[in-house]
Amino acid sequence: MNLNQVKKKASAVAISLACLMQTPAFAGDKISWTMTTTWPDSLELVEVDRHWVKLVEQIAGDDIDIKFYPGGTLMPGNEVFDAVENGSIDASGDWPGYWAGRDPAFSPLASHVSLFNAVDYLNWIYEWGGFEFYEKLYGKYGIVYLPYGVANSESGFRGQKRIANLDELNGKRIRLSGREQGKVLEKLGASQVTIAGGELYQAIERGVVDAGEFSMPGVDYKAGFGEVSKYWASPGWHQTASVYGLMVNKESWDALPENVRTKLKVAAQANMTWSLTWTERRSTEGAEKFKAKGIEITRYPDEDLKRIQDVANEVMLESSCENKLTAEIYYSQISYLNDYANWRDVSVPFNLSQANHNLPSLDAIKKCI
């Protein structure tokens, strides 16, 4: 038996034991679910998943009991998609971008390079038809999806080498998550290094990477990056917002009474609002702590940010012509931005979205559909 087989057997045993340990707290028809997430306890994003579970306990606790396991306790985080798909577990929290290797269309459902902010994702998902794309893509794998977390811009790049502009970014080895993020980075002259978030601390400390990104300032600070990095290159153009959500095995979902499904959806929407305010508060606290440590914060010049936007537009068009569903998603997202501009630009400077008119051509994207 090789090492991979041993790992798979161990994961299967752990899942089986978890399921056996679940005993409904009340007699009758109360449903029990096993749920995990991609995030381990060491990464603060796990709190987005925990908060949703708490909301469900408050509004549907008499109907369903969700036994939640932090990431890595039942299986490695990169195996949760398979586990939900095949029914080994009922549900798992995720970030859609992790599954772009299965279908590139997962990428724009998770994040963007220099495009949506968090409010844009909220608007698009709930009022401009975005939710249908999550249903369509996850549905291909027998998974029901509930977006239940959103966060605004990530921190940027942290490391022991100063990166204040694109010239200083050129030639650097950067830990960067995301399919399209990597394409933009390479067009800018740097190279993408793909390593797990839990390995980034040591990678920066040992110089395996020149710099790296992981998440918002609060998450980054708790992960200890202030101990191994001297510089912080901002803004986080590589990931201007992030969506997190719940993957549910379709059979598990269909087995729920309709009123319970409704309660889970309501909890997801409430969690979206809470997650934005919570991550912004934690980002503020994290930024204060990084400043107190003496971390030097640099900002790309405006002309460099314009160059990044131009390259991001190129990549969006390329990705659209490589995958029809990706094109459909980008067409919907860019159409939303053009439509929302009718109000957004009138309300500047009190608007809720970036007033960006340098966007990919809708006509060019449409040709890829």
Side-chain angles (χ1 to χ4, degrees):
M1 184 181 294
N2 61 35
L3 183 58
N4 286 334
Q5 290 174 317
V6 171
K7 289 181 177 178
K8 287 181 178 179
K9 270 187 169 290
S11 293
V13 170
I15 295 169
S16 298
L17 288 172
C19 294
L20 287 171
M21 287 189 294
Q22 289 190 80
T23 302
F26 304 94
D29 297 328
K30 187 173 183 179
I31 297 164
S32 292
W33 270 13
T34 300
M35 174 184 168
T36 188
T37 177
T38 54
W39 314 115
D41 264 335
S42 59
L43 297 177
E44 200 171 51
L45 287 172
V46 72
E47 298 305 323
V48 175
D49 305 297
R50 279 204 176 97
H51 193 266
W52 179 80
V53 174
K54 289 177 182 177
L55 288 176
V56 172
E57 288 175 355
Q58 292 170 8
I59 67 175
D62 292 337
D63 304 305
I64 186 169
D65 176 61
I66 299 176
K67 183 65 175 178
F68 177 73
Y69 295 87
T73 56
L74 293 183
M75 68 202 72
N78 60 2
E79 294 180 10
V80 298
F81 191 103
D82 289 335
V84 174
E85 182 183 14
N86 64 34
S88 297
I89 57 175
D90 298 289
S92 176
D94 84 332
W95 177 65
Y98 285 140
W99 323 126
R102 289 172 172 267
D103 191 314
F106 278 111
S107 188
L109 296 183
S111 184
H112 292 121
V113 178
S114 192
L115 196 66
F116 272 15
N117 69 10
V119 172
D120 288 320
Y121 265 119
L122 282 171
N123 286 343
W124 179 68
I125 289 170
Y126 291 123
E127 291 295 333
W128 269 267
F131 186 75
E132 296 173 7
F133 289 103
Y134 292 90
E135 289 183 310
K136 182 176 182 178
L137 185 50
Y138 280 93
K140 287 169 53 178
Y141 302 93
I143 294 173
V144 173
Y145 197 71
L146 299 181
Y148 68 12
V150 66
N152 216 32
S153 173
E154 293 205 341
S155 303
F157 299 156
R158 305 186 184 281
Q160 299 190 34
K161 295 184 179 180
R162 189 173 185 269
I163 302 174
N165 51 56
L166 290 183
D167 287 339
E168 293 182 354
L169 179 66
N170 187 47
K172 297 292 194 298
R173 289 170 48 82
I174 308 292
R175 185 274 177 185
L176 187 66
S177 182
R179 181 177 184 273
E180 298 188 6
Q181 284 79 359
K183 288 184 175 182
V184 172
L185 184 70
E186 290 176 4
K187 283 178 178 283
L188 295 173
S191 57
Q192 180 182 23
V193 179
T194 304
I195 56 175
E199 299 172 9
L200 180 55
Y201 181 102
Q202 289 187 332
I204 294 175
E205 183 180 39
R206 298 175 181 177
V208 174
V209 295
D210 296 306
E213 60 76 37
F214 183 69
S215 189
M216 291 78 68
V219 178
D220 285 355
Y221 191 84
K222 187 173 180 180
F225 296 136
E227 301 167 6
V228 294
S229 59
K230 299 177 182 177
Y231 302 99
W232 171 2
S234 71
W237 53 262
H238 65 287
Q239 202 161 317
T240 49
S242 300
V243 173
Y244 313 101
L246 180 75
M247 302 184 291
V248 183
N249 176 269
K250 191 173 187 307
E251 290 186 6
S252 296
W253 180 260
D254 290 344
L256 295 175
E258 185 175 352
N259 69 313
V260 178
R261 280 181 255 161
T262 298
K263 290 176 181 179
L264 300 193
K265 290 177 180 178
V266 170
Q269 291 182 354
N271 210 55
M272 287 280 274
T273 304
W274 168 84
S275 66
L276 177 55
T277 59
W278 176 73
T279 53
E280 285 295 277
R281 174 64 184 267
R282 296 293 292 125
S283 291
T284 301
E285 294 170 348
E288 292 172 351
K289 292 175 181 177
F290 277 112
K291 289 177 181 179
K293 271 190 169 289
I295 303 298
E296 181 180 337
I297 304 174
T298 60
R299 180 178 175 82
Y300 296 90
D302 288 345
E303 58 268 25
D304 283 357
L305 293 176
K306 183 180 183 302
R307 169 62 180 154
I308 291 168
Q309 183 68 62
D310 290 340
V311 173
N313 291 348
E314 291 175 16
V315 170
M316 280 186 268
L317 286 173
E318 291 171 4
S319 297
S320 294
C321 289
E322 292 170 357
N323 181 279
K324 182 176 180 291
L325 184 54
T326 298
E328 291 176 2
I329 293 171
Y330 274 130
Y331 190 87
S332 175
Q333 292 176 335
I334 302 302
S335 295
Y336 148 74
L337 287 171
N338 288 338
D339 187 28
Y340 188 46
N342 288 300
W343 162 237
R344 178 196 67 201
D345 293 356
V346 172
S347 59
V348 171
F350 308 109
N351 55 319
L352 297 176
S353 172
Q354 179 188 12
N356 180 8
H357 294 279
N358 180 14
L359 299 170
S361 164
L362 277 176
D363 288 339
I365 293 175
K366 190 172 184 179
K367 290 178 182 178
C368 302
I369 297 176

